Amino acid sequence: IAEGRLMHSVRDYLTENVKMELPVDFLEKLVRFSMKEEMSDEQLKGEMNYLLQQWRWDLITDKLTFDAGITVTENDIRETVKNELRAQYFGGAVEEDEKMANSLNGIADYVMKDEKNKKRYAEMALNEKLTTLLKSKIMTTELSVSEHDFFHHQHTHEHAH
């Protein structure tokens, strides 16, 4: 949870502070054109705030991925599937013998046959690599907080979750 909160803060910081010009007028027209239902100006404004932040984050992560030479291989995807299986069914800690390893590989191969699943796990693998990269580049200060404060921290930024 702490790592997720850290990465959320990094994402917010970068999307708010990395300066880039986006063609807002064009993007608003594109959003209006692609919507199935008519949207009020207020609805569009709310949607655009979220979309602009998402587009900024996509551009930032694309640049970071390119500059760092990050790629996601079939093996990365397979390992991500297996790690999720370990976490979901064994609490992350499992003694793996050859039989268990073969079972996990078989399940991972089966899951990866579905292109939708494969894409989802590829995105997870990429996010793991980006998280590792970003954690290596940022300076953090460890703070001691109560459990209550940690779980009830209110975000003060404005975007949809």
Side-chain angles (χ1 to χ4, degrees), residues 74-83 105 108-109 112:
E74 290 280 321
N75 193 52
D76 293 329
I77 300 168
R78 182 175 287 101
E79 287 303 312
T80 301
V81 173
K82 289 172 19 181
N83 287 339
N105 281 325
D109 289 342
M112 289 170 58

Side-chain angles (χ1 to χ4, degrees), residues 20-33 41 44-53 55-56 59:
M20 66 178 77
E21 294 296 320
L22 295 175
V24 176
D25 291 338
F26 169 76
L27 293 171
E28 282 181 357
K29 289 175 186 173
L30 182 65
V31 169
R32 277 198 190 276
F33 179 76
D41 288 342
L44 178 65
K45 183 180 177 191
E47 189 73 16
M48 285 303 295
N49 287 337
Y50 169 77
L51 290 172
L52 288 170
Q53 183 181 29
W55 286 324
R56 281 187 185 94
L59 291 169

Side-chain angles (χ1 to χ4, degrees), residues 25-148:
D25 291 338
F26 169 76
L27 293 171
E28 282 181 357
K29 289 175 186 173
L30 182 65
V31 169
R32 277 198 190 276
F33 179 76
S34 65
M35 299 308 286
K36 292 182 181 3
E37 298 176 15
E38 191 66 28
M39 188 181 280
S40 72
D41 288 342
E42 187 174 308
Q43 288 172 314
L44 178 65
K45 183 180 177 191
E47 189 73 16
M48 285 303 295
N49 287 337
Y50 169 77
L51 290 172
L52 288 170
Q53 183 181 29
Q54 184 61 49
W55 286 324
R56 281 187 185 94
W57 180 242
D58 290 346
L59 291 169
I60 290 166
T61 57
D62 287 350
K63 174 106 172 92
L64 289 170
T65 300
F66 178 79
D67 288 353
I70 295 174
T71 60
V72 174
T73 65
E74 290 280 321
N75 193 52
D76 293 329
I77 300 168
R78 182 175 287 101
E79 287 303 312
T80 301
V81 173
K82 289 172 19 181
N83 287 339
E84 186 169 278
L85 290 168
R86 286 182 195 107
Q88 187 173 0
Y89 295 107
F90 306 107
V94 61
E95 292 274 337
E96 273 190 45
D97 58 14
E98 188 176 335
K99 184 178 178 183
M100 175 66 77
N102 288 338
S103 293
L104 287 172
N105 281 325
I107 294 169
D109 289 342
Y110 177 78
V111 168
M112 289 170 58
K113 285 181 183 178
D114 180 330
E115 284 302 314
K116 190 174 178 181
N117 283 334
K118 188 174 181 179
K119 182 179 180 192
R120 183 172 68 91
Y121 283 104
E123 288 173 4
M124 289 171 65
L126 177 61
N127 284 336
E128 276 183 37
K129 289 183 175 198
L130 281 170
T131 296
T132 300
L133 174 68
L134 288 170
K135 284 171 52 178
S136 74
K137 302 258 184 219
I138 61 174
M139 248 200 314
T140 59
T141 304
E142 191 171 317
L143 300 174
S144 293
V145 295
S146 71
E147 182 177 347
H148 178 270

